[in-house]
Amino acid sequence: MSYYVQGFVLAVPTANKDAFIKHAREAAEVFKEYGVIKCVECWGDDVPDGVHTSFPMAVKAEADETVVFSWYIWPSKEALDAAMPKVMEDPRLEPANNPMPFDGKRLIYGGFVPVVDI
């Protein structure tokens, strides 16, 4: 498979849903300019609490927060690695221009190589 997946899990105050969607749309435009193929942001609908592990536990979600699961598809890890310094320096993503309506310290992310794609 010739693409690379960047995955994210975060907790967003439920009252900030509209602000999160606005933030995500604006950020996606920046990511697209730097080469991302697809950005998918999913608002939690059926995300149960766990006993030992769970999405809510992983991001320390509070009762008034909703878990968001997201993934970005890049042409390759090399494309991601080349783009990220530019993305992080883009003034459109500075907090003054596009504030994060969530606690970024509890965002979990990672890069993944697809092994099955049916």
Side-chain angles (χ1 to χ4, degrees), residues 6-25:
Q6 194 178 29
F8 309 89
V9 180
L10 58 147
V12 177
T14 303
N16 289 355
K17 182 178 182 180
D18 290 339
F20 174 78
I21 292 169
K22 179 181 184 299
H23 167 81
R25 286 181 191 270

Side-chain angles (χ1 to χ4, degrees), residues 1 59 63 70 75 109 115:
M1 283 160 245
V59 294
S70 309
Y109 67 93
V115 294

Side-chain angles (χ1 to χ4, degrees), residues 12-66:
V12 177
T14 303
N16 289 355
K17 182 178 182 180
D18 290 339
F20 174 78
I21 292 169
K22 179 181 184 299
H23 167 81
R25 286 181 191 270
E26 291 175 4
E29 288 303 316
V30 174
F31 278 87
K32 287 187 82 169
E33 285 182 29
Y34 291 106
V36 79
I37 296 168
K38 187 174 186 94
C39 298
V40 179
E41 304 279 354
C42 302
W43 192 258
D45 177 59
D46 184 15
V47 187
D49 289 323
V51 174
H52 302 289
T53 63
S54 69
F55 282 120
M57 289 171 67
V59 294
K60 299 181 180 178
E62 302 288 333
D64 63 343
E65 294 179 319
T66 298

Side-chain angles (χ1 to χ4, degrees), residues 42-98:
C42 302
W43 192 258
D45 177 59
D46 184 15
V47 187
D49 289 323
V51 174
H52 302 289
T53 63
S54 69
F55 282 120
M57 289 171 67
V59 294
K60 299 181 180 178
E62 302 288 333
D64 63 343
E65 294 179 319
T66 298
V67 174
V68 171
F69 176 61
S70 309
W71 65 93
Y72 290 13
I73 298 176
W74 292 87
S76 65
K77 184 174 188 324
E78 293 76 21
L80 165 66
D81 290 345
M84 284 313 292
K86 298 171 191 166
V87 168
M88 299 312 289
E89 292 174 7
D90 193 296
R92 294 171 291 176
L93 294 183
E94 289 179 8
N97 298 324
N98 189 3

